[in-house]
């Protein structure tokens, strides 16, 4: 057998005969590679590959104009009408299309299917390049009362039946005729909604939208798209359109224009891909950087083990050199010996990555878009192969070049004369410092991110959520929810002219309350322990409306969110009343125009800086009777946002049933939804979610980040332990003769332990000081470059650094103790 | 007689901090092809250092060393390895057999490093092991052999590449007298067959079996004695 073949064979045998070396390599490298390859697969599929459903994505843009509703939230102020007007103005530039996404449910032959619902302009498929599998393309004539379904829905609901065209499905009580089957569409973002491959498409003609009345509300859900065919559209073009739009629609828009313009509006043109991938891309680059450092750290740790192993084979290497082997030949020998272990680690890493990719959508809770596209591809496999071969080559190089050749051969020639000095090599010292430094860099980063994520999850809400379920109920046949400005004006004029208008409004509201009472009874009948609040507001304000109003005294304009409450809201959710008083039951029943405001709002309108001064002030025709402390809301997070809390008498199209149960009891959610649907003929749609569920959905990214970072920290600490273990093993092996001689001359094991640990102290302390200083410096430097990084926290750093120090010490103590107990006297007997 | 080795004014100084140790001082020596030389002397006199320099395992601090008409001074690390492989066979006092390899594989090492085809390696190794009477232990590991057997394997390994110069460090140091005598007889036999042997020993009895005896003292050649060649 040739020299090289023998090296290969030794490598394979060593997998089983030398578990002390092969197991740490396999475990450490395969775990780390699994993480690395998962991120590589993500980047390969999400960053470098074209989107699956979009043709020629370089000319497809997402355009928008947004307003800032809070520091970290921007909402699109485009509506289909505004997009239609924009499309008309710039039709020479290219094609425009609109898309809105929601999750919904359809019924086919009385079987319900959850679906993603797309409301899109009828040219959408042409603009993006989507594929029609069956039926006809949508157009102005055929899209009324019609629906197009995705291939997945065709399969699940219609068993791929070619006769599906012309059949009907039920959507929110409406019958829609299937006009076509299109390929599943995955290149979209779904915000907090579920993303399904079962999809329905409802089309409208964009040009027709231009003639529709101006809407007085915005929901921010429309995504306008532009396919460049002639000329690129710019943010300035959009800005120009909006200024013209304001001029043309001034009468219709009224105060809405001022609201749009006062909320830091911004026009944007971005590639559609960037809109989809922007968040992922940043996250993937961050992950890629992290796992690369992790891989370097893992490699450094393993290198220490390697060096320890090759130090034990010093005599063999010297003999080879003596017999005429060149250093390169020894390098190839070392490379071939380790090849099987590294290749196996790559295979295990790929398997681990494949498994991780499968569970990624589960652990991310659907918060990372487009994950369904991620799979192990040829690039990922190539990266795995290149990574292990590079590491192997690097290891082979260092482990065969670490020796001073002359010294090595000299030791060989003087093998039996004297005791090895037992000095740790410079390479080992540098490696150990590099390992601890990389561990400290990762841990500092993870400490800050974990701290930030922990703070996000453990924020002081300012209220007690309790065991609360909120059912959002939309009603049929009630007053139109979206009134145009003209309609509002007409309604106002009618009310002004009608002496009984206020009475009529109250009656309408009381009518709605009567429906609510009937629904409440149905729920109570089902679960008698449920308490149903009079308040319809939800403390997190997941669905919120924002108003703009003017202070009559100061002429100052205020933007604030509205929270629909009753007398029971403050006490039920434990809000702190800072000034004035709560809305009384009598005021609620009499439908008095009174309101509470929050502290932020009070400070804005206070004339003398005191909260008391706002009491009895009138804002939006309501008398302020109390001030409550700010609470966490989805809009405001922890920075505060003005809020007005009052009983909203105008909303008669939806009802929120806010229900509570004692802690520990569970809501029979499906039964409750069914009971509500059956309780009144006007009930149209019911969605119910507990506050906990909604909070979990909302905080999922932070939780995923926290879990991921925690896992990363544990892995880093594990690697630091492996590295310290390797270093200690290497050093203690070098000291075997000394230990043996000391033991032979009567030293106890504890004495040997103390001496050995003491001999580490200098290296350990200097390594830790360098590592922590370097890590802090790097983090602070990065923070200057990336302002989004969380603030530096000494507390978090102290905790994580203490853990690192403890892990390193424990690893060293364990290995030294093991070697001391493993018959060091053998070294003398073998002489 | 053709000179195989010529060393002129070789010095070797080991420095550790301020302390300098002169291991060899102005040693000059010529070794002719086919000679059997024994180097002896007390412990620390520089015997092993001289052997290391002769075997290109170490470099002199100054002086000139020529082996088989090759000036060794200008050789880099890999060239030295190559010269060692082709021209020198080295037998260590502690044998230095690789535990993980079989007897056959240990002996084959110099030829493998030379790039000799496997077929030729097999033939050469089997022949050499037969010469040292170790054919029966072909597939044994070094740990399964006695000290004398290990020494014979080490000699076979040193000879398998047909080196010009066989360097032997204390060949009997780790052996009992019976095994020591056997190894000595083997070396004499090899010398008779034409091998040039340089042996370091502190055993006067074995030293006297060589054609030339060189005695070192404090790094200098103290006495050189040559037997009359019949």
């Amino acid at each position: 057998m040739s020299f090289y073949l023998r090296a290969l064979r030794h490598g394979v045998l060593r997998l089983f005969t030398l578990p002390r070396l092969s197991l740490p390599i396999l475990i450490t490298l395969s775990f780390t590679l699994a993480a690395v390859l998962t991120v590589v697969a993500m980047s390969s599929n999400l960053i470098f590959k074209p989107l699956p459903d979009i043709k020629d994505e370089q000319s497809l843009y997402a355009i928008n104009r947004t307003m800032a509703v809070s520091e970290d939230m921007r909402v699109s102020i485009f509506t289909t009408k505004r997009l239609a007007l924009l499309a008309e103005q710039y039709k020479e530039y290219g094609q425009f299309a609109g898309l809105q996404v929601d999750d919904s449910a359809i019924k086919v032959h009385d079987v319900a299917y959850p679906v993603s619902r797309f409301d899109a302009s009828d040219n959408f498929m042409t603009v993006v390049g989507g594929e029609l599998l069956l039926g006809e393309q949508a157009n102005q004539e055929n899209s009324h009362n019609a629906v197009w379904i995705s291939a997945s829905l065709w399969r699940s609901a219609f068993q791929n039946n070619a006769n599906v065209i012309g059949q009907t499905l039920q959507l929110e009580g409406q019958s829609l005729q299937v006009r076509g089957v299109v390929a599943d569409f995955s290149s979209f973002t779904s915000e907090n909604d579920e993303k399904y491959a079962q999809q329905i498409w409802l089309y409208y003609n964009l040009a027709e939208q231009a003639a529709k009345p101006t809407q007085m509300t915005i929901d921010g859900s429309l995504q306008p798209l532009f396919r460049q065919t002639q000329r690129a559209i710019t943010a300035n073009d959009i800005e120009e359109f909006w200024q013209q739009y304001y001029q043309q629609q001034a009468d219709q828009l009224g105060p809405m224009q001022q609201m749009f313009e006062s909320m830091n509006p911004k026009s944007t043109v971005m590639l559609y891909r960037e809109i989809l991938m922007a968040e992922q891309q940043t996250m993937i680059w961050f992950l890629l950087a992290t796992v690369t450092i992790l891989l370097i750290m893992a490699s450094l740790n393993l290198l220490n083990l390697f060096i320890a192993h090759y130090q034990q084979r010093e005599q063999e290497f010297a003999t080879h050199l003596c017999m005429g082997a060149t250093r390169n030949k020894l390098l190839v020998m070392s490379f071939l010996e380790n090849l099987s272990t590294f290749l196996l680690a790559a295979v295990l890493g790929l398997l681990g990555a494949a498994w991780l990719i499968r569970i990624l959508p589960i652990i991310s809770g659907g918060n990372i878009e487009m994950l369904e596209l991620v799979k192990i591809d040829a690039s990922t496999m190539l990266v795995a192969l290149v990574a292990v071969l590079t590491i192997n080559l690097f290891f082979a190089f260092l482990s065969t070049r670490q020796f001073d050749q002359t010294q090595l051969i000299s030791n060989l020639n003087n093998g039996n004369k004297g005791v090895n000095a037992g000095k740790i090599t410079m390479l080992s010292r540098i490696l150990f410092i590099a390992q601890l430094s990389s561990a400290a860099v990762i841990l500092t980063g993870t400490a800050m991110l974990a701290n930030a994520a922990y703070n996000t999850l453990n924020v002081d809400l300012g209220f007690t959520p309790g065991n609360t379920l909120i059912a959002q109920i939309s009603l049929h046949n009630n007053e139109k929810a979206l009134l145009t400005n003209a309609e509002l004006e007409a309604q106002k004029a009618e009310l002004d002219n009608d002496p009984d208008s206020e009475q009529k409004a109250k009656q309408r509201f009381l009518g709605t309350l009567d429906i609510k009472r009937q629904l409440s009874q149905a729920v109570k009948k089902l679960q008698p322990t449920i308490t149903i609040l009079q308040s319809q507001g939800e403390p997190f304000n997941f669905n919120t409306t924002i108003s703009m109003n003017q202070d009559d005294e100061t002429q100052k304009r205020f933007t604030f969110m509205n929270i629909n409450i009753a007398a029971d809201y403050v006490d039920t959710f434990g809000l702190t009343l800072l000034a004035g008083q709560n809305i009384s039951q009598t005021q609620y029943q009499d439908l008095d125009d009174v309101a509470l405001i929050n502290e932020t709002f009070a400070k804005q309108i206070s004339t003398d800086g005191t909260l008391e001064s706002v009491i009895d002030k009138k804002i939006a025709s309501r008398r302020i009777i109390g001030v409550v402390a700010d609470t966490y809301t989805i809009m405001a997070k922890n920075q505060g946002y003005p809020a007005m809390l009052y009983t909203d008498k105008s909303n008669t199209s939806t009802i929120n049933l806010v229900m509570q149960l004692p802690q520990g009891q569970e809501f029979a959610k499906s039964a409750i939804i069914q009971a509500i649907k059956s309780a009144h003929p006007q009930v149209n749609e019911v969605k119910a979610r507990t506050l906990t569920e909604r909070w979990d959905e909302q905080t999922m990214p932070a939780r995923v980040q926290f879990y991921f970072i925690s896992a990363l920290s544990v892995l880093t600490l594990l690697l630091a332990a492996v590295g310290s273990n390797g270093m200690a093993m290497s050093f203690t092996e070098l000291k075997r003769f000394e230990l043996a001689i000391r033991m032979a001359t009567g030293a106890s094991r504890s004495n040997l332990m103390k001496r050995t640990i003491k001999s580490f102290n200098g290296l350990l302390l200097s390594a830790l000081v360098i590592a922590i200083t370097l890590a802090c410096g790097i983090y602070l430097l990065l923070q200057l470059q990336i302002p989004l990084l969380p603030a530096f926290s000494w507390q978090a750093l102290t905790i994580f650094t203490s853990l690192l120090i403890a892990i390193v010490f424990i690893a060293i103590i364990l290995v030294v103790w093991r070697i001391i107990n493993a018959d060091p006297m053998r070294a003398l007997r073998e002489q | 007689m053709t000179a195989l080795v010529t060393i002129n004014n070789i010095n070797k100084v080991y420095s550790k901090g301020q302390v300098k140790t002169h291991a060899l001082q102005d040693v000059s020596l010529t070794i002719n092809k086919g000679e059997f030389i024994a180097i002896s002397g007390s412990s620390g006199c520089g015997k092993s250092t001289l052997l290391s320099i002769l075997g290109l395992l170490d470099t002199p601090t100054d002086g000139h060393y020529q082996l088989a008409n090759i000036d060794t001074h200008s050789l880099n690390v890999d060239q030295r390895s190559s010269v060692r492989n082709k021209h020198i066979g080295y037998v260590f006092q502690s044998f230095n057999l690789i535990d993980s390899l079989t007897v056959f594989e240990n002996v084959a090492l110099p030829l493998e490093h030379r790039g000799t085809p496997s077929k030729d390696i097999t033939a050469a190794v089997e022949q050499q092991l037969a010469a040292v009477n170790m054919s029966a232990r072909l597939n044994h590991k070094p740990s399964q052999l006695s000290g004398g057997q290990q020494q014979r394997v080490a000699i076979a390994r040193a000879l398998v590449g047909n080196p010009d110069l066989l360097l032997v460090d204390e060949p009997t140091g780790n052996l009992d007298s019976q095994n020591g005598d056997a190894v000595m007889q083997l070396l004499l036999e090899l010398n008779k067959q034409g091998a040039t042997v340089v042996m370091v020993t502190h055993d006067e009895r074995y030293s006297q079996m060589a054609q030339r005896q060189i005695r070192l003292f404090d790094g200098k050649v103290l006495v050189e004695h040559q037997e009359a060649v019949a």
Side-chain angles (χ1 to χ4, degrees):
Chain A
M1 189 182 292
S2 84
F3 179 74
Y4 296 120
L5 267 177
R6 195 170 60 233
L8 262 177
R9 192 194 67 175
H10 271 191
V12 175
L13 288 175
R14 212 170 61 182
L15 279 171
F16 310 100
T17 57
L18 196 62
R20 205 175 55 178
L21 183 70
S22 56
L23 269 184
I25 297 174
L26 285 176
I27 292 169
T28 311
L29 208 56
S30 56
F31 271 120
T32 317
L33 274 175
V36 172
L37 297 175
T38 304
V39 181
V40 167
M42 284 169 77
S43 57
S44 163
N45 290 283
L46 299 182
I47 296 181
F48 300 112
K49 277 191 184 163
L51 293 169
D53 330 287
I54 309 287
K55 288 205 174 80
D56 190 15
E57 59 185 60
Q58 286 310 308
S59 64
L60 186 68
Y61 295 90
I63 56 175
N64 220 334
R65 185 171 170 83
T66 55
M67 63 178 190
V69 290
S70 70
E71 273 184 32
D72 53 0
M73 190 187 283
R74 299 192 72 86
V75 173
S76 169
I77 52 178
F78 260 106
T79 58
T80 49
K81 177 188 172 81
R82 290 165 196 149
L83 175 60
L85 292 172
L86 177 88
E88 177 60 28
Q89 185 165 330
Y90 294 113
K91 62 185 174 195
E92 306 300 327
Y93 287 36
Q95 294 172 289
F96 292 83
L99 178 72
Q100 281 161 289
V101 187
D102 199 359
D103 57 357
S104 190
I106 57 148
K107 274 188 183 174
V108 177
H109 306 309
D110 281 336
V111 180
Y113 298 90
V115 292
S116 283
R117 167 185 171 160
F118 301 107
D119 288 272
S121 55
D122 53 20
N123 62 343
F124 185 85
M125 286 296 170
T126 319
V127 170
V128 299
E131 194 185 350
L132 179 76
L133 304 175
L134 200 67
E136 50 191 312
Q137 281 285 10
N139 56 44
Q140 196 168 355
E141 282 75 39
N142 66 6
S143 51
H144 186 65
N145 280 337
V147 66
W148 277 253
I149 61 172
S150 68
S152 289
L153 185 59
W154 182 32
R155 189 168 50 249
S156 54
F158 297 97
Q159 293 76 46
N160 283 352
N161 190 340
N163 295 327
V164 66
I165 308 299
Q167 292 196 36
T168 57
L169 56 79
Q170 303 293 315
L171 173 70
E172 293 170 6
Q174 191 188 357
S175 283
L176 298 170
Q177 198 174 46
V178 178
R179 286 273 160 78
V181 179
V182 293
D184 291 352
F185 187 68
S186 56
S187 303
F188 67 99
T189 55
S190 58
E191 299 289 332
N192 293 321
D193 296 324
E194 289 286 335
K195 200 171 172 179
Y196 299 103
Q198 297 183 148
Q199 299 160 347
I200 55 166
W201 292 83
L202 282 82
Y203 293 113
Y204 53 84
N205 183 267
L206 192 59
E208 280 179 1
Q209 302 295 311
K212 293 230 164 148
T214 303
Q215 289 174 4
M216 292 306 290
T217 56
I218 50 166
D219 67 2
S221 65
L222 180 68
Q223 175 59 68
L225 297 177
F226 168 69
R227 166 74 76 185
Q228 182 188 340
T229 54
Q230 301 298 324
R231 213 179 127 178
I233 195 164
T234 64
N236 282 341
D237 292 330
I238 298 170
E239 194 63 43
E240 201 175 299
F241 159 77
W242 274 90
Q243 294 314 319
Q244 285 177 22
Y245 173 73
Y246 285 147
Q247 281 176 10
Q248 289 161 5
Q249 305 275 326
D251 291 345
Q252 290 288 305
L253 287 166
M256 209 170 180
Q257 179 184 339
Q258 286 169 316
M259 188 170 106
F260 286 166
E261 289 309 290
S262 66
M263 297 176 83
N264 187 20
K266 198 167 135 190
S267 297
T268 51
V269 177
M270 292 170 81
L271 279 174
Y272 183 58
R273 181 190 184 90
E274 283 175 26
I275 289 280
L276 287 181
M277 301 295 184
E279 279 181 26
Q280 281 92 316
Q281 210 153 315
T282 315
M283 186 190 69
I284 288 167
W285 284 123
F286 166 75
L287 288 177
L288 212 50
T290 310
V291 293
T292 306
I293 298 178
L294 210 60
L295 185 63
I296 292 171
M297 194 182 148
S299 306
L300 291 176
N301 291 344
L302 292 176
L303 185 56
N304 242 343
L305 275 183
F306 260 74
I307 286 175
H309 171 72
Y310 281 100
Q311 271 169 351
Q312 289 167 12
R313 293 175 62 186
E314 204 172 89
Q315 184 217 17
E316 181 189 334
F317 273 74
T319 307
H320 277 296
L321 286 168
C322 237
M323 297 299 125
T326 60
R327 285 174 302 176
N328 285 342
K329 195 155 192 175
L330 293 185
L331 185 147
V332 176
M333 181 186 86
S334 172
F335 181 86
L336 291 173
E337 277 182 355
N338 299 317
L339 192 61
S340 51
T341 312
F342 277 93
L343 287 178
L344 185 60
V347 171
L348 291 175
L350 279 166
L351 290 173
W355 180 76
L356 266 177
I357 287 168
R358 279 183 67 185
I359 64 160
L360 261 182
I362 302 164
I363 58 173
S364 73
N367 283 282
I368 303 173
E369 299 287 351
M370 320 283 288
L371 274 182
E372 64 275 10
L373 302 179
V374 178
K375 54 181 181 288
I376 300 281
D377 55 6
S379 320
T380 315
M381 285 191 258
L382 189 67
V383 169
L385 192 65
V386 170
V388 291
L389 292 183
T390 308
I391 298 169
N392 188 10
L393 189 65
F394 178 66
F395 279 17
F397 181 82
L398 278 187
S399 51
T400 51
R401 301 291 163 115
Q402 63 159 327
F403 306 110
D404 173 349
Q405 196 174 2
T406 312
Q407 186 62 40
L408 192 71
I409 295 175
S410 174
N411 284 349
L412 188 70
N413 202 28
N414 301 307
N416 291 356
K417 296 176 182 176
V419 168
N420 193 317
K423 281 205 170 166
I424 200 157
T425 63
M426 183 54 77
L427 179 67
S428 289
R429 283 169 195 274
I430 293 170
L431 277 178
F432 184 60
I433 292 172
Q435 281 162 26
L436 282 191
S437 298
S438 52
V441 168
I442 296 179
L443 282 176
T444 306
T446 53
M448 302 312 149
L449 290 169
N451 189 48
Y454 181 83
N455 289 341
T456 307
L457 293 171
N458 292 281
V459 68
D460 177 16
L461 298 173
F463 65 87
T464 317
N467 186 10
T468 309
L469 177 75
I470 295 163
Q472 288 177 286
I473 304 147
S474 64
L475 302 175
H476 283 304
N477 303 328
N478 253 27
E479 283 185 274
K480 191 176 170 186
L482 303 180
L483 296 176
T484 67
N485 202 40
E487 286 170 327
L488 275 174
E489 289 295 324
Q491 195 182 60
K492 191 169 178 290
E494 189 192 335
L495 288 172
D496 288 345
N497 294 330
D498 184 354
D500 300 328
S501 62
E502 196 173 333
Q503 190 56 36
K504 283 179 183 170
K506 278 187 180 176
Q507 280 173 347
R508 273 196 295 271
F509 178 63
L510 291 172
T512 310
L513 283 188
D514 188 53
I515 298 174
K516 186 185 169 195
R517 188 183 49 77
Q518 291 178 49
L519 304 182
S520 303
Q521 278 175 352
V523 171
K524 291 279 283 181
K525 200 173 164 189
L526 187 76
Q527 261 188 294
T529 47
I530 286 180
T531 308
I532 297 172
L533 271 66
Q534 287 176 326
S535 292
Q536 296 195 44
E538 49 178 340
F540 282 123
N541 287 287
F542 287 100
N543 297 309
T544 195
T545 55
I546 298 170
S547 296
M548 177 178 258
N549 226 284
Q550 188 171 306
D551 187 336
D552 293 335
E553 290 170 29
T554 60
Q555 306 299 309
K556 210 171 155 186
R557 287 185 179 278
F558 301 107
T559 308
F560 55 88
M561 66 183 161
N562 306 292
I563 303 170
N564 185 6
I565 68 160
D568 54 7
Y569 186 83
V570 171
D571 288 341
T572 306
F573 292 111
L575 269 66
T576 311
L577 195 66
L578 300 175
Q581 59 190 38
N582 186 17
I583 295 171
S584 68
Q585 189 59 28
T586 315
Q587 284 169 323
Y588 169 70
Q589 279 170 345
D590 293 348
L591 302 177
D592 287 354
D593 285 326
V594 292
L596 306 176
I597 58 173
N598 71 354
E599 192 178 353
T600 301
F601 199 4
K603 282 178 179 168
Q604 278 185 17
I605 60 172
S606 172
T607 45
D608 60 3
T610 64
L611 299 180
E612 285 73 17
S613 68
V614 303
I615 305 297
D616 290 333
K617 229 172 157 38
K618 268 200 156 183
I619 298 281
S621 310
R622 289 181 193 89
R623 186 168 60 87
I624 295 162
I625 59 165
V627 178
V628 290
D630 282 358
T631 58
Y632 178 98
T633 66
I634 292 309
M635 172 100 73
K637 302 264 185 309
N638 49 2
Q639 78 265 23
Y641 195 84
M644 181 181 271
L645 303 87
Y646 61 94
T647 306
D648 183 7
K649 297 187 286 282
S650 65
N651 183 5
T652 52
S653 60
T654 57
I655 292 172
N656 271 7
L657 268 193
V658 182
M659 301 164 258
Q660 285 203 323
L661 270 177
Q663 291 292 352
Q665 291 190 22
E666 270 189 38
F667 290 100
K669 209 160 74 176
S670 305
I672 289 172
I673 292 173
Q674 206 46 52
I676 292 171
K677 279 183 174 171
S678 320
H680 200 278
Q682 271 185 260
V683 172
N684 178 18
E685 201 182 345
V686 184
K687 284 182 179 174
R689 274 180 188 170
T690 65
L691 276 188
T692 313
E693 283 170 347
R694 305 205 65 171
W695 174 246
D696 286 349
E697 283 166 15
Q698 201 57 225
T699 53
M700 179 60 96
R703 269 185 296 130
V704 170
Q705 189 188 24
F706 185 72
Y707 297 146
F708 175 77
I709 288 164
S710 303
L712 197 66
S713 306
V714 171
L715 193 55
T716 309
L717 287 170
L718 193 75
L719 289 177
V722 172
S724 307
N725 188 294
M727 193 276 297
M729 200 158 81
S730 159
F731 192 26
T732 317
E733 280 293 342
L734 283 172
K735 293 255 176 198
R736 267 174 71 217
F737 285 108
E738 185 189 324
L739 289 173
I741 291 164
R742 285 186 186 281
M743 204 170 217
T745 51
S748 66
R749 284 183 305 173
S750 59
N751 186 283
L752 289 178
M753 182 82 180
K754 271 188 218 162
R755 280 183 175 279
T756 315
I757 296 290
K758 205 174 162 186
S759 61
F760 278 114
N761 281 350
L763 174 64
L764 200 56
L765 286 176
S766 51
L768 282 170
V769 168
I770 292 171
I772 293 165
T773 313
L774 204 66
C776 293
I778 288 174
Y779 189 82
L780 291 172
L781 207 67
L782 276 177
Q783 214 180 22
L784 288 177
Q785 306 294 321
I786 312 166
L788 279 176
L789 279 177
F792 191 85
S793 158
W794 284 107
Q795 192 189 7
L797 182 76
T798 310
I799 294 170
F800 277 71
T801 309
S802 308
L803 271 174
L804 176 67
I805 293 170
I807 291 279
V808 167
F809 264 102
I810 291 168
I812 290 173
I813 287 168
L814 283 178
V815 76
V816 172
W817 188 246
R818 187 175 62 79
I819 290 176
I820 286 175
N821 279 287
D823 190 13
M825 298 290 280
R826 203 178 60 189
L828 289 183
R829 291 198 300 273
E830 283 173 354
Q831 275 289 72
Chain B
M1 292 284 242
T2 316
L4 178 65
V5 170
T6 311
I7 57 174
N8 287 319
N9 302 320
I10 289 281
N11 284 284
K12 181 69 185 177
V13 181
Y14 293 110
S15 302
K16 192 162 191 181
Q18 300 294 318
V19 183
K20 288 188 174 180
T21 309
H22 287 263
L24 292 175
Q25 294 183 55
D26 289 325
V27 175
S28 295
L29 188 66
T30 301
I31 300 169
N32 294 316
K33 276 188 182 168
E35 276 193 305
F36 192 134
I37 298 177
I39 302 171
S40 59
S42 58
S43 181
C45 70
K47 306 186 292 285
S48 291
T49 304
L50 179 60
L51 203 68
S52 293
I53 289 171
L54 286 174
L56 296 177
L57 302 183
D58 204 350
T59 48
T61 311
D62 55 52
H64 183 255
Y65 170 28
Q66 188 169 302
L67 169 68
N69 295 322
I70 300 163
D71 181 3
T72 62
H73 179 71
S74 54
L75 300 177
N76 66 24
V77 174
D78 286 333
Q79 286 167 332
R80 290 162 75 84
S81 273
S82 175
V83 170
R84 232 176 3 244
N85 181 261
K86 286 175 188 152
H87 299 283
I88 300 170
Y90 208 114
V91 182
F92 299 95
Q93 180 181 2
S94 50
F95 323 134
N96 285 329
L97 299 176
I98 296 173
D99 290 340
S100 57
L101 304 183
T102 61
V103 164
F104 180 93
E105 288 166 341
N106 264 292
V107 175
L109 279 179
L111 298 179
E112 282 178 347
H113 292 316
R114 197 181 287 183
T116 309
S118 323
K119 205 171 72 180
D120 297 345
I121 291 178
T122 309
V125 171
E126 282 174 357
Q127 185 191 342
Q128 209 54 248
L129 283 171
V132 296
N133 199 22
M134 285 298 292
S135 298
R137 299 281 190 271
L138 210 67
N139 295 314
H140 284 58
K141 290 282 173 69
S143 55
Q144 296 168 310
L145 304 178
S146 70
Q149 287 171 325
Q150 287 189 36
Q151 184 69 293
R152 276 189 276 159
V153 174
I155 291 170
R157 184 176 65 185
L159 290 170
V160 76
N162 284 324
D164 299 315
L165 180 63
L166 182 62
L167 302 173
V168 192
D169 190 6
E170 300 280 11
T172 57
N174 283 337
L175 304 177
D176 57 37
S177 59
Q178 194 181 348
N179 273 315
D181 289 347
V183 166
M184 204 56 215
Q185 284 308 318
L186 180 63
L187 290 175
L188 287 168
E189 187 60 34
L190 289 169
N191 177 244
K192 271 185 194 165
Q193 289 167 13
T196 309
V197 181
V198 178
M199 175 182 73
V200 163
T201 181
H202 62 268
D203 192 321
E204 203 60 36
R205 195 162 55 96
Y206 295 134
S207 173
Q208 286 172 1
M209 290 182 183
Q211 289 168 359
R212 276 169 75 190
Q213 292 108 38
I214 297 170
R215 178 171 281 274
L216 292 179
F217 182 75
D218 280 351
K220 292 177 187 165
V221 176
L222 186 68
V223 181
E224 186 167 351
H225 173 74
Q226 183 155 14
E227 269 185 12
V229 180

